[in-house]
Amino acid sequence: MTFSGAACYSDLSMQPILEIDQLEAGVQGKQILKGINLKIYPGEMHAIMGPNGSGKSTLASILAGRDGYEIIRGRVLYQGRNLLELSPEDRAREGLFLAFQYPVEIPGVNSAYFLKAALNEVRKYRGMPELDAIEFLALVKEKIKLLELDEELLKRPVNVGFSGGEKKRNEVLQMAVLEPRLAVLDETDSGLDIDALKIVANGVNCLRKPDNAQLVITHYQRLLDHIVPDKVHVLVDGRIVMSAGKELALELESKGYDWIVREAKRAN
Amino acid sequence: MPAVCMNSISTIPRRDDAEPPQFGAVRTAFAQFESHALAGGEPDWLISLRRRELTRFLEAGYPTRRDEDWRHTSLEAVSALPFTIADSADPDDRFGQLLAGSTFSSVSGRRLVFLNGHLITALPRAEQSNDGVYLAGLARAVREKSEILRARLMADSENGSDGSLGALNLAFAREGAVVIVPANTVVDEPIILVFVSSPRIAGERTHVRNVIVAGPNSRATVIEHYIGLGTEPSVTSSVTELHAGQGAVLEHLKLQDEARSVFHLATLQARLESSSNVNCHSFALGSRLARQNVLATLAGEGIEAVFNGLYLGDADRLIDHYLSVDHVAPGCTSHEFFNGVLDDKATGVFYGRIRVRQHAQKTDAKQTNKNLLLSDDAAAHTRPQLEIYADDVKCTHGATIGQLDPEGLFYLRSRGLPIATARRMLIHAFAGEIIERVSCRAARDVLDRLVWERVERTRHVAESNQ
């Protein structure tokens, strides 16, 4: 099943999966996010674009619960609950997934073992029976084909010795296995060649369902050739300065960010 | 010719002060020991060797922290203890239970068991076998294999590289295991040597001297396992002399899992001949204070040697590894991997010297020491020392001291794993790096379980104290 942007038009009577309200946050005393507002409804794919240093990765980190960020004001509701009071593991069990910009290498921890443990934690939390080794392998083998990854990777330690492209595809594999309600993809396109980009995009597209949502964070438009967002937001200096349909991405590609940065400054 | 960090071998400090009062007890113990040895028909050469070693010890005394090689490890508590040689003990029920439940009890292979430094002969003996492997206690071997042992022990005494503690050991070591694998012999199952200490009074000393000789092109695995009963502070002194002949493939695994009242002072002295392939593992899990020296000479060309170790510390225990690897001949590789997990107020010490002699071109020497501190009060001291006199070599070293990688923890948690599980996974992986280098599968499996049980018992495995 595939969805076009138009087909999954949101039903405004529904509760948003994610609702960010006037979020201001920083790190080590330096304010980075200066009032973010964002609503993502089931079935939607949103893209956040912006120049380097605009706060894109900070937003992703705060959503996933990384340590070291200070919330100055504002709130983040995830399926109606205060997201910011949940531990990173509870966010994951509630269906939030962050595809890391820099997936972490974990020497000595076997990939299959790790992924099975993670999946069973999530299933347990959702009141589903845990999968045994055989059931897990059947599931993961099906998903691994989608990402065109080598099954041998499952026998290796998590991300250790993986190429840049393999690491990113492995993130999407984990996402495919964990079936999140909201997936945040932080610069998943960076460091990918065009073939890997298509595979990742295909993986993400296949995971789109009417009851889930994706937030794609990217610097470049090229990923959005393959993953078509419903909405594109431009983040500049900690604020969303413009939101529009998918055509905004194309405009940014041809004109760059400078004009929008200038406009944002004028508006201030 | 680049020469880095040239330090001379630590010299035995001169004692200007009067002999410590405890040494009277050492002399008395030796007089007793000597009369037993004479009565027991010990060869003359050995008795005079013991006298020489005793003198060497009495002159030098225990190493002190003034000695550069003992900077972080104080033996004051050892020298202050009374000096009594552990008596032979009857293997009682507790001993039987300890042995039956011990780590390698399920691993099949021929074995020797010692209690308080005495060979337990009541146990079934499988030392003579049709493959020609010689396995016996030292007391018997000095008569049956007199030439080999005389040469080995004399050489030890002459080079004296294991210092005054080695001298004290040879003066008093009545027993130990002697393993001689003939040339071209392949021994499939490991040879397991178990050393049990069961002190009855404070200050009991056990001295064992082991000799392992792997003949040319032989292949064998030898396991040394140190365990104990009781709570009296006591001292285990162990010296193992290992000789790998040309082309021999030898795995030596030592598991030090003594009672927490024990001071464990040990040396592995290894001489490797050309084209041998030797893996030495040191798992230091027990004791109150443990010092393990590994002194290796790579004497011929084309040797591949791995020195691999894991230490776990908690409470206020101290675990010290002192390595000295000497590349004498060209074209050899030596890799050292030591990981430590330290909790509470435990201290880990690692010193690693790699010496590459002028002729040892094309040496490939690598050393890593990683320390994981689970508590703010745990400490690790690590010191690499490279002495390189050849110009065409590859030598690297690296050391880390730190906590669990916060990025790794966050990554695991962001996939739904509870923080306690994430911590366990990372700690297990850290220890697993070392365990997986053990080739003997049966031993590796039981070690893996044992290490995991021990890690689980440390206080801050699941939760950080910060």
Side-chain angles (χ1 to χ4, degrees):
Chain A
M1 208 189 320
T2 56
F3 295 91
S4 72
C8 56
Y9 207 77
S10 58
D11 175 354
L12 292 181
S13 67
M14 281 192 291
Q15 185 189 48
I17 289 184
L18 184 73
E19 184 174 0
I20 303 176
D21 188 16
Q22 283 300 319
L23 181 65
E24 294 184 31
V27 65
Q28 289 173 337
K30 183 176 184 287
Q31 185 168 357
I32 296 170
L33 302 184
K34 299 173 178 170
I36 302 273
N37 294 298
L38 183 66
K39 272 186 197 172
I40 301 179
Y41 287 91
E44 289 185 339
M45 157 101 60
H46 286 230
I48 291 188
M49 301 185 68
N52 290 330
S54 59
K56 301 190 300 289
S57 283
T58 297
L59 179 62
S61 292
I62 287 173
L63 291 178
R66 190 191 291 272
D67 267 351
Y69 292 91
E70 302 134 34
I71 307 300
I72 299 161
R73 61 181 287 244
R75 57 176 196 163
V76 180
L77 295 180
Y78 172 75
Q79 301 190 106
R81 289 184 62 183
N82 180 359
L83 180 73
L84 301 179
E85 67 182 18
L86 298 179
S87 66
E89 51 269 40
D90 277 343
R91 296 178 198 207
R93 295 160 181 169
E94 288 282 351
L96 180 82
F97 182 91
L98 171 67
F100 279 54
Q101 181 177 5
Y102 303 108
V104 183
E105 295 187 8
I106 309 195
V109 176
N110 174 275
S111 289
Y113 170 75
F114 154 65
L115 194 50
K116 177 168 171 275
L119 176 62
N120 279 334
E121 283 292 341
V122 169
R123 289 178 65 93
K124 218 161 51 184
Y125 187 81
R126 295 176 189 166
M128 295 156 78
E130 294 184 35
L131 297 187
D132 65 23
I134 295 164
E135 292 165 326
F136 170 75
L137 229 72
L139 171 79
V140 82
K141 279 185 176 174
E142 174 201 324
K143 307 281 186 186
I144 210 163
K145 271 190 223 136
L146 181 73
L147 278 312
E148 297 180 30
L149 277 166
D150 187 349
E151 272 179 36
E152 285 298 304
L153 289 187
L154 289 172
K155 295 180 187 163
R156 303 224 303 253
V158 178
N159 290 322
V160 177
F162 288 28
S163 70
E166 282 173 336
K167 283 182 183 170
K168 295 301 181 82
R169 279 186 281 158
N170 190 37
E171 292 293 286
V172 183
L173 170 68
Q174 292 174 22
M175 178 174 136
V177 169
L178 297 176
E179 299 189 317
R181 177 61 57 90
L182 174 67
V184 179
L185 292 96
D186 187 10
E187 309 262 3
T188 300
D189 50 335
S190 65
L192 292 183
D193 62 32
I194 187 66
D195 292 330
L197 189 76
K198 281 182 184 162
I199 294 166
V200 162
N202 181 45
V204 174
N205 285 329
C206 289
L207 299 171
R208 292 183 73 171
K209 286 181 184 159
D211 65 346
N212 68 19
Q214 292 81 33
L215 177 60
V216 178
I217 293 173
T218 180
H219 182 85
Y220 301 104
Q221 182 271 339
R222 58 179 201 146
L223 178 64
L224 305 180
D225 286 342
H226 307 283
I227 298 177
V228 181
D230 302 295
K231 284 196 178 124
V232 176
H233 311 275
V234 182
L235 189 64
V236 174
D237 191 26
R239 287 185 188 86
I240 290 177
V241 296
M242 190 174 288
S243 296
K246 61 184 178 199
E247 63 287 349
L248 178 56
L250 293 169
E251 197 176 348
L252 288 170
E253 181 70 1
S254 61
K255 293 163 71 178
Y257 287 107
D258 288 351
W259 62 279
I260 215 162
V261 171
R262 276 196 302 276
E263 270 185 30
K265 276 185 183 153
R266 234 189 343 262
N268 270 340
Chain B
M1 178 178 67
V4 190
C5 301
M6 289 175 55
N7 273 19
S8 62
I9 289 176
S10 61
T11 49
I12 299 164
R14 264 182 68 87
R15 305 189 66 86
D16 297 327
D17 44 339
E19 189 174 281
Q22 303 92 324
F23 283 15
V26 179
R27 290 177 191 279
T28 309
F30 187 75
Q32 247 175 32
F33 178 86
E34 196 181 27
S35 63
H36 277 292
L38 282 167
E42 193 165 88
D44 289 344
W45 63 264
L46 184 52
I47 290 176
S48 56
L49 182 59
R50 292 190 193 282
R51 284 187 195 129
R52 198 165 86 197
E53 294 297 291
L54 179 77
T55 307
R56 196 154 74 88
F57 170 75
L58 292 173
E59 280 170 7
Y62 289 102
T64 70
R65 292 178 64 177
R66 286 193 300 271
D67 183 337
E68 189 63 8
D69 292 343
W70 291 83
R71 197 162 24 148
H72 299 288
T73 303
S74 167
L75 293 183
E76 270 174 42
V78 172
S79 64
L81 277 176
F83 192 97
T84 315
I85 297 297
D87 260 336
S88 58
D90 287 330
D92 56 8
D93 285 353
R94 285 200 316 154
F95 166 80
Q97 280 163 16
L98 180 74
L99 204 59
S102 67
T103 307
F104 300 107
S105 60
S106 62
V107 177
S108 70
R110 63 198 109 178
R111 60 193 79 211
L112 286 183
V113 179
F114 298 83
L115 174 57
N116 288 349
H118 296 262
L119 181 64
I120 301 296
T121 47
L123 293 166
R125 297 163 75 174
E127 58 234 52
Q128 293 307 334
S129 56
N130 49 18
D131 59 8
V133 173
Y134 181 84
L135 177 62
L138 180 72
R140 197 175 113 191
V142 289
R143 292 192 296 269
E144 293 179 354
K145 298 284 178 186
S146 167
E147 264 174 52
I148 293 176
L149 288 170
R150 185 176 182 172
R152 291 275 151 247
L153 298 179
M154 288 292 205
D156 278 5
S157 166
E158 271 152 31
N159 82 27
S161 57
D162 51 349
S164 63
L165 293 178
L168 184 63
N169 175 279
L170 189 46
F172 283 102
R174 179 192 327 249
E175 271 293 7
V178 175
V179 181
I180 302 171
V181 183
N184 306 310
T185 302
V186 175
V187 188
D188 288 325
E189 288 184 334
I191 296 161
I192 301 167
L193 313 170
V194 186
F195 303 87
V196 182
S197 58
S198 177
R200 281 156 302 182
I201 54 166
E204 277 195 3
R205 317 265 168 156
T206 296
H207 301 90
V208 291
R209 191 93 181 181
N210 306 308
V211 177
I212 301 166
V213 180
N217 303 311
S218 65
R219 187 183 275 262
T221 301
V222 180
I223 294 173
E224 289 182 42
H225 186 198
Y226 293 80
I227 43 176
L229 290 163
T231 52
E232 291 295 345
S234 63
V235 184
T236 301
S237 159
S238 146
V239 175
T240 296
E241 151 106 26
L242 183 154
H243 185 243
Q246 189 177 340
V249 178
L250 183 63
E251 178 160 58
H252 177 264
L253 188 156
K254 174 171 172 180
L255 170 59
Q256 182 275 104
D257 195 15
E258 299 244 38
R260 284 164 174 243
S261 48
V262 171
F263 296 88
H264 184 94
L265 306 172
T267 295
L268 171 67
Q269 191 146 271
R271 183 179 169 89
L272 318 184
E273 304 297 347
S274 60
S275 305
S276 58
N277 182 323
V278 176
N279 289 342
C280 295
H281 313 280
S282 169
F283 288 85
L285 272 52
S287 80
R288 168 169 164 184
L289 178 150
R291 163 79 166 212
Q292 177 70 53
N293 298 326
V294 177
L295 313 173
T297 304
L298 278 58
E301 296 186 22
I303 295 165
E304 286 179 39
V306 172
F307 303 94
N308 184 47
L310 177 70
Y311 44 100
L312 305 181
D314 64 353
D316 58 354
R317 299 164 53 220
L318 182 145
I319 301 146
D320 180 350
H321 276 93
Y322 177 98
L323 271 83
S324 171
V325 175
D326 194 359
H327 283 261
V328 177
C332 296
T333 65
S334 70
H335 291 174
E336 299 164 36
F337 308 95
F338 280 75
N339 285 9
V341 181
L342 302 161
D343 199 358
D344 302 328
K345 292 179 176 168
T347 304
V349 182
F350 178 86
Y351 170 89
R353 182 218 308 264
I354 299 171
R355 176 184 293 179
V356 182
R357 308 271 180 147
Q358 199 172 345
H359 299 293
Q361 301 293 3
K362 306 282 182 197
T363 288
D364 176 358
K366 185 162 85 182
Q367 176 188 97
T368 61
N369 171 229
K370 297 195 272 186
N371 294 279
L372 184 56
L373 305 184
L374 298 182
S375 121
D376 283 347
D377 298 322
H381 306 280
T382 177
R383 193 154 60 107
Q385 189 161 342
L386 305 182
E387 292 177 30
I388 301 168
Y389 303 100
D391 49 21
D392 182 14
V393 301
K394 205 167 91 187
C395 285
T396 62
H397 65 85
T400 60
I401 299 171
Q403 284 140 6
L404 287 173
D405 173 25
E407 272 298 298
L409 276 177
F410 176 62
Y411 190 76
L412 296 175
R413 294 176 74 192
S414 78
R415 300 302 182 242
L417 297 170
I419 186 162
T421 306
R423 288 178 61 87
R424 285 191 171 96
M425 264 191 191
L426 294 184
I427 297 169
H428 200 177
F430 184 80
E433 278 178 32
I434 301 298
I435 297 169
E436 70 191 19
R437 285 197 194 90
V438 174
S439 327
C440 173
R441 172 135 192 221
R444 188 177 63 228
D445 289 349
V446 290
L447 262 175
D448 191 48
R449 278 199 294 278
L450 176 74
V451 167
W452 195 230
E453 271 170 37
R454 291 304 157 77
V455 167
E456 277 294 309
R457 264 192 241 164
T458 62
R459 205 185 311 270
H460 299 108
V461 59
E463 265 176 72
S464 156
N465 66 333
Q466 292 136 39

